[in-house]
Amino acid sequence: MLGITTDRLKMIPLKAENLGLLIKDQKQLESNLSLNESSSILSQELKQAMEVRLSKVLTDEKNYFWCTNWIIVSKDINEIVGGIMIKGTPNDNGEVVIGYYTHFEHQGNGFMTEAVTNLKNWLLKQANVIYVIADTEKDNIGSHRVLEKTGAEMYKETEELFFWRFFTS
């Protein structure tokens, strides 16, 4: 199975069936993947984002890992602690966009810093990837800290968002 493993985490890209379960029946997903049941559920906003991811996965199932949610599982507790998304294949400028979330009760443990570091390292080794992009709402200080700790540079801002990037050296 495709995925990324670190000292503390397993990052698993979800194929269409499991992504659908994350949206509609997380307990079944956890059972299918032999994970402990999480008390966290996705917010309505995250479910909508996952629906978009699912539509993209269904249009290119062979390359699903480029457009799906990768669940982040803590090895210690064998439980989903968050997720990280790749929002498509590299564009003509070699850019891929990521987004991520950590369940509230698992914030502050460094899980997302570890996940972002390892996913961006993996992405920057893929053909045609020059930049990994993330955007954050201006008031999301925790996300800013994750990106700063992982070596991203802020390169653009709009009225509502900061845009960050990692690039190959």
Side-chain angles (χ1 to χ4, degrees):
M1 172 186 346
L2 178 67
I4 297 172
T5 302
T6 71
D7 289 341
R8 299 187 309 150
L9 305 174
K10 292 185 287 188
M11 298 164 53
I12 305 165
L14 299 179
K15 291 185 176 181
E17 178 185 352
N18 283 333
L19 185 54
L21 286 174
L22 180 64
I23 298 164
K24 300 211 183 309
D25 190 355
Q26 184 174 315
K27 290 182 187 347
Q28 185 60 52
L29 168 68
E30 291 163 340
S31 176
N32 288 359
L33 297 178
S34 301
L35 300 174
N36 291 330
E37 195 173 296
S38 170
S39 60
S40 298
I41 57 169
L42 297 180
S43 67
Q44 197 56 42
E45 181 182 9
L46 276 174
K47 284 184 179 184
Q48 290 171 341
M50 295 306 153
E51 291 282 359
V52 172
R53 296 291 104 229
L54 181 57
S55 71
K56 304 284 186 191
V57 169
L58 290 170
T59 61
D60 189 6
E61 291 189 56
K62 184 179 135 206
N63 294 305
Y64 73 99
F65 54 90
W66 283 107
C67 49
T68 194
N69 183 62
W70 297 47
I71 56 170
I72 301 168
V73 176
S74 166
K75 290 180 182 179
D76 287 344
I77 58 175
N78 195 40
E79 184 178 305
I80 298 171
V81 297
I84 192 164
M85 297 160 254
I86 304 173
K87 299 181 181 181
T89 57
N91 67 17
D92 292 341
N93 296 323
E95 299 168 327
V96 293
V97 179
I98 63 169
Y100 50 85
Y101 60 93
T102 308
H103 293 304
F104 180 77
E105 65 273 17
H106 299 293
Q107 292 177 356
N109 293 309
F111 292 136
M112 195 50 64
T113 299
E114 190 171 329
V116 167
T117 297
N118 284 278
L119 184 65
K120 65 107 172 166
N121 288 343
W122 180 82
L123 283 167
L124 290 171
K125 291 177 186 168
Q126 304 310 304
N128 303 318
V129 176
I130 300 170
Y131 300 101
V132 176
I133 308 291
D135 60 75
T136 60
E137 293 175 353
K138 287 189 170 182
D139 64 352
N140 190 341
I141 304 304
S143 194
H144 302 170
R145 281 199 296 259
V146 166
L147 292 166
E148 289 166 350
K149 285 191 261 182
T150 55
E153 70 168 9
M154 190 188 335
Y155 71 100
K156 180 171 79 170
E157 80 178 87
T158 64
E159 194 171 305
E160 298 173 359
L161 300 172
F162 290 129
F163 290 83
W164 306 76
R165 69 180 168 198
F166 305 96
F167 49 91
T168 55
S169 4

